Amino acid sequence: MVTQPYIVEQVLLGVKTEASYGTQATLTAGTDFLYVENVDLKIDTKGVERNYKHNALNALADAPGSTIFNLSFEAEYQTSGSAGDVLAPYGALEAAAGLKASVSASNSVTYVMEHTASSGFPSPGSSATVQVYFRDKLFTLTGVYGNIEETHKADGIVKLKFTGQGLYQTESSATMPAATFKENYVRVASASMSTHGYDPEFTEFTINYGNDVKAIQYAGTANGYGKVMIVGRKPVVTFKTLMDSKAGHDFIGRRIDKSTGSISLQDGSGTGNKILYTMGTTQYREVDIAEDNGVFVYNVTANVIGNFTKKIF
């Protein structure tokens, strides 16, 4: 028998919002899959060690313990190209990261941070079903919640990294669906940023939603876990900007005296393809001086105090 290796290029991943927590959603090939890379699916199984004394020196077999799946992947961020609309899998990821969409028809979609559990769910937002195909092998996870880190880098496209956990349902043999994809990536160009009243010449901007995601154990289930939840959130923004005079903006002084201020970023172009982040209150946590391509830059990390919004328009 000749083994047919599973090629890393043959990976397909889809995500869809669940009607209620842990209720498996049915994914559609034409709408629920997205371009991904660096897919990492890990099984976290905690076996119960049995170290009892008996009449021999050999070890005893472990007893089955709890099982949860850890999932991470990267994707390009895509928009629908229509104002007031978003592509389904990206909306599902935002919901699984604890955000709620507010739709202004034919105008915009604004995601806002939720702080209380939604009806039918244990956490803010809505859980997702995630399916991962490795050629003809299909893994299905339900009840998925996670965290998003989104990166805007000059001369690139907007990218996201999703890291989360889910309840394992099945591993099965299945044929990859004939998924179709959009090509509405968001190019990082003509972007504008403001930080504490200053408009920096920035080269990189990253927002991490800062979700603390936990799997909650429950004795009434076969796998030892009853649900995955977002139990905390500490959003963080990082950016790299060219060094300016103190009169231009006193990054270090504001870091020392713990001044607060707003940060905003707008990126993308064309109707339905623009992204606007607004963080009303932030504090600089770290300001480091570095050299980049022959010039001095500041690498800035800021804590987001309170809420942020993400508007696609």
Side-chain angles (χ1 to χ4, degrees):
M1 178 179 177
V2 177
T3 300
Q4 296 182 346
Y6 284 73
I7 301 172
V8 297
E9 294 294 327
Q10 293 179 303
V11 177
L12 189 62
L13 186 145
V15 54
K16 188 169 185 175
T17 296
E18 296 173 341
S20 60
Y21 185 77
T23 301
Q24 183 173 332
T26 301
L27 276 66
T28 303
T31 58
D32 296 322
F33 291 84
L34 63 164
Y35 290 132
V36 294
E37 62 182 354
N38 298 325
V39 178
D40 190 8
L41 188 61
K42 291 183 178 178
I43 308 167
D44 185 0
T45 298
K46 295 179 173 61
V48 180
E49 291 188 9
R50 299 166 62 239
N51 294 317
Y52 299 103
K53 305 297 186 291
H54 57 297
N55 62 340
L57 299 179
N58 57 290
L60 298 175
D62 290 348
S66 55
T67 299
I68 198 76
F69 265 64
N70 299 310
L71 169 72
S72 68
F73 61 89
E74 297 173 22
E76 60 182 26
Y77 199 96
Q78 291 201 13
T79 56
S80 69
S82 299
D85 189 24
V86 295
L87 295 180
Y90 297 92
L93 290 176
E94 299 284 6
L99 272 63
K100 182 178 181 179
S102 175
V103 179
S104 176
S106 302
N107 185 10
S108 64
V109 177
T110 300
Y111 290 102
V112 297
M113 298 169 60
E114 284 201 302
H115 298 275
T116 58
S118 305
S119 178
F121 298 92
S123 279
S126 303
S127 59
T129 294
V130 175
Q131 291 189 326
V132 185
Y133 289 84
F134 297 99
R135 202 178 70 199
D136 60 356
K137 188 184 293 289
L138 169 62
F139 292 89
T140 299
L141 309 181
T142 62
V144 175
Y145 277 105
N147 182 59
I148 289 177
E149 182 178 87
E150 187 175 298
T151 301
H152 303 243
K153 188 173 182 179
D155 197 28
I157 58 177
V158 179
K159 295 184 177 182
L160 69 85
K161 181 176 182 179
F162 183 87
T163 305
Q165 292 183 311
L167 306 175
Y168 174 62
Q169 295 301 315
T170 59
E171 175 189 350
S172 58
S173 296
T175 301
M176 277 187 176
T180 57
F181 304 90
K182 296 287 188 180
E183 295 293 339
N184 293 329
Y185 54 80
V186 180
R187 183 168 177 263
V188 181
S190 301
S192 60
M193 179 184 170
S194 175
T195 177
H196 292 215
Y198 171 71
D199 298 337
E201 294 186 42
F202 74 101
T203 58
E204 296 181 27
F205 178 97
T206 298
I207 180 167
N208 189 318
Y209 292 13
N211 291 336
D212 185 9
V213 179
K214 302 291 187 184
I216 308 302
Q217 290 187 314
Y218 175 43
T221 62
N223 61 15
Y225 287 103
K227 56 182 68 70
V228 175
M229 296 177 59
I230 298 173
V231 299
R233 181 189 289 128
K234 293 182 179 179
V236 173
V237 168
T238 60
F239 60 91
K240 179 186 293 186
T241 178
L242 297 179
M243 183 182 287
D244 197 357
S245 66
K246 181 176 180 180
H249 189 64
D250 189 4
F251 278 103
I252 293 176
R254 296 183 72 84
R255 160 67 179 87
I256 293 171
D257 63 22
K258 299 294 186 180
S259 298
T260 60
S262 63
I263 294 178
S264 64
L265 170 77
Q266 181 172 315
D267 209 348
S269 60
T271 301
N273 291 326
K274 297 188 289 290
I275 300 174
L276 172 62
Y277 271 109
T278 304
M279 290 138 277
T281 307
T282 67
Q283 284 182 316
Y284 296 154
R285 189 178 75 192
E286 297 176 9
V287 179
D288 297 326
I289 299 171
E291 181 272 333
D292 184 25
N293 201 29
V295 298
F296 285 111
V297 296
Y298 284 127
N299 290 319
V300 182
T301 301
N303 291 333
V304 180
I305 312 299
N307 295 337
F308 68 80
T309 62
K310 178 181 182 179
K311 181 178 180 181
I312 301 175
F313 62 106

